[in-house]
Structure formats: C-alpha cells, structure tokens
C-alpha cells in the first residue's frame, strides 16, 4: 500500500506510518510499553465525552489550533513547558488518576486522508509509531494472513471511540465559539518560594456570558449533553491548585 501523503505525528509521538495488516502481520506491541513519550507534554487533547472523568483530576481548558483555527479542549498536566506532573519516575501515569484516551491509544493514532474528489469527506486512516512494534510477537495484532487477532480488538474499539467522539467535540467547540462563550485566560501559579509560573494561551467559558445565552440554545446544549460538559470544565479549573501542589512537591523532591 503506497500513500502519497505526508503524515503528521501527534505531539509526543515519533514518526508514524499507516497500519497495514499485511505489512504488520505477526507484529505486536513491544513489552514494557510505558508513558515516557508524554513526559514533555504539559497539555493533552481530550474529547467532550471525557470531560466528566478528566475534570476530576485535571484542569480543562481550550486551545486554538492556530491564530484563526478551531478550538480544541485540553487538560493541563504541568505549569511549565515540557513539564508533565502526572508522569511518575517509573514512566507510568499517576495511580488513581484518569488516563486520557490520547495516552491510552499510543502508539496508534488516526490521520484524516483527503478524498480523491474535490469536496469529498476525508476518511480516517489508522497509523502507528512503528518502532513500538516488534516482530514475531506473542500477542500479534494481525496473524500471518493479515487477519485481526483478539489483541487488536480492544485497540480497534478504542480508536473507533476516539474517532466517534471527535465530531461531537468539534460541534461543542464550534457552538461555544459561535455563542461567544470562550475567553482567554492565564493560569498563574504563585508558590511560596521560587518564581511564579504562567500557563498562557488557554481559553475558558465565561460564566457571565453563559448566563445570557438564549433559552433555545441552552435547551439544545442540555439535550446534547453539552451543558454538562461545560460545567465539568468550569469545575475542573479548581484543579490548577492541585497542579501547583504537584509542582511544589516535584521541585522539593
């Protein structure tokens, strides 16, 4: 299978290639795969369906992809660039903490492939960071004939769920932007000792503007579960205090 397209690796990933049953037959995940690849990520994207669980452990904000691009929801895992306070020294995620789907899907991801005809819908392409696979695996993803094995099923289901949540998340972000609810804010953490940390570039829902949203739009948001997500986001902002505690503990250690 030859694709004349340029694949962009998600933040934290190495180079990715299309996952091909024939090419990757007999290959499986390398044993001992941990989360060190995410050590330098202080923000991670999440989907709207994750807001409730993620909001219990992390502050949730919104980032604009570029100056004029779409908004995406993210969790903050550190107060400085290159700092992930939810990753332990052993390379594993902090125990009893929600692990976002972005982390659980590694080393796989989904890349949109443009349709051949102008205006056609892009199709999802499953990709993998190939150096995280090993040949002659005890638990191959595909057998020698290129057929999926039981080891591939939960991974495939996770990727399908992530892709399915993507559109729901885009709808939420577009509605929040259209209603003028997203405003920039700066997370300022001032420890007792040392220099304050500023996490910039984030947006949040403005509660005063939310109170002025027309009833028709509020009912739509409520029926689609979006209002629940908004309040999960607002409540999660208290977790910046938790980030400060984790940061101080890390600096003291």
């Amino acid at each position: 299978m030859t694709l004349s397209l340029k694949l962009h690796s998600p933040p934290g990933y190495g180079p990715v290639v299309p996952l091909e049953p024939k090419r990757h037959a007999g290959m499986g995940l390398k044993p001992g795969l941990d989360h060190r690849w995410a050590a330098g990520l202080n923000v991670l994207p999440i989907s709207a369906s994750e807001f409730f669980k993620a909001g219990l452990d992390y502050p949730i904000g919104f980032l604009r992809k570029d100056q004029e691009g779409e908004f995406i929801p993210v969790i903050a895992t550190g107060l400085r660039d290159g700092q992930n306070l939810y990753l332990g020294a052993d390379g594993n995620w902090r125990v009893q903490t929600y692990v976002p789907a972005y982390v659980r899907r590694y080393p796989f991801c989904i890349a949109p492939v443009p349709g051949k005809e102008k205006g056609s819908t892009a199709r999802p392409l499953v990709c993998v960071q190939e150096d995280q696979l090993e040949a002659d695996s005890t638990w191959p993803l595909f057998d020698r004939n290129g057929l999926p094995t039981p080891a591939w099923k939960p991974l495939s289901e996770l990727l399908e769920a992530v892709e399915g949540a993507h559109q729901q998340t885009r709808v939420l972000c577009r509605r929040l932007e259209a209603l003028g609810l997203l405003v920039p804010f700066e997370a300022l953490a001032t420890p007792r000792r040392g220099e304050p940390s500023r996490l910039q570039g984030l947006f949040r829902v403005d509660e005063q503007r939310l109170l002025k949203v027309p009833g028709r739009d509020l009912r739509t948001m409520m029926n689609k579960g979006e209002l629940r997500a908004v309040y999960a986001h607002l409540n999660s902002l208290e977790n910046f205090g938790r980030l400060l505690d984790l940061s101080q503990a890390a600096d003291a250690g």
Side-chain angles (χ1 to χ4, degrees):
M1 179 181 180
T2 303
L3 291 171
S4 58
L5 62 110
K6 185 176 181 180
L7 297 174
H8 297 280
S9 300
Y13 281 56
V16 296
V17 299
L19 182 68
E20 302 176 32
K22 290 291 186 181
R23 171 177 173 172
H24 297 113
M27 301 182 73
L29 293 173
K30 287 183 176 180
L33 192 65
D34 59 25
H35 303 126
R36 297 178 200 273
W37 62 273
L41 302 179
N42 70 326
V43 293
L44 292 169
I46 62 169
S47 67
S49 61
E50 297 180 271
F51 275 32
F52 186 73
K53 289 183 178 179
L56 299 175
D57 295 313
Y58 315 88
I60 300 172
F62 296 85
L63 277 178
R64 196 185 281 275
K65 285 185 178 181
D66 51 55
Q67 191 171 3
E68 299 296 333
E70 294 184 337
F71 285 97
I72 59 169
V74 296
I75 56 171
T77 58
L79 295 170
R80 298 188 291 267
D81 287 342
Q83 178 190 60
N84 186 340
L85 297 167
Y86 289 82
L87 190 67
D90 61 355
N92 292 311
W93 214 255
R94 182 175 291 273
V95 295
Q96 296 182 334
T97 303
Y98 176 73
V99 182
Y102 185 87
V103 174
R104 286 182 278 124
R105 73 176 185 175
Y106 179 82
F108 304 96
C109 64
I110 294 179
V113 178
K116 294 181 179 180
E117 298 180 5
K118 186 177 181 180
S120 59
T121 303
R123 63 181 180 87
L125 176 69
V126 177
C127 299
V128 63
Q129 185 176 321
E130 199 171 38
D131 62 7
Q132 297 304 311
L133 300 180
E134 64 172 2
D136 302 316
S137 172
T138 305
W139 303 101
L141 304 175
F142 304 96
D143 64 22
R144 292 300 177 186
N145 296 316
L147 297 176
T149 68
W152 173 240
K153 183 179 179 181
L155 295 170
S156 175
E157 290 175 347
L158 173 61
L159 290 169
E160 287 178 7
V162 169
E163 183 64 16
H166 177 68
Q167 183 59 31
Q168 176 193 7
T169 305
R170 290 185 72 188
V171 170
L172 169 64
C173 292
R174 287 176 175 179
R175 195 184 314 280
L176 296 178
E177 183 178 14
L179 292 172
L181 294 177
L182 294 175
V183 296
F185 80 104
E186 180 181 276
L188 175 64
T190 307
R192 296 191 189 97
R193 298 178 182 177
E195 295 295 322
S197 298
R198 299 176 186 271
L199 189 57
Q200 299 176 312
L202 291 176
F203 290 74
R204 60 169 290 171
V205 169
D206 186 291
E207 293 182 75
Q208 295 304 311
R209 294 186 183 184
L210 182 62
L211 293 174
K212 299 177 182 178
V213 172
R216 182 179 60 183
D217 292 312
L218 281 178
R219 284 192 296 272
T220 298
M221 294 176 68
M222 184 180 298
N223 292 335
K224 293 182 176 295
E226 295 173 349
L227 203 56
R228 182 173 182 260
V230 167
Y231 280 108
H233 148 66
L234 290 172
N235 289 335
S236 79
L237 297 177
E238 297 294 327
N239 287 323
F240 276 113
R242 183 180 185 186
L243 274 185
L244 178 58
D245 292 340
L246 291 174
S247 181
Q248 289 179 324
D251 292 341

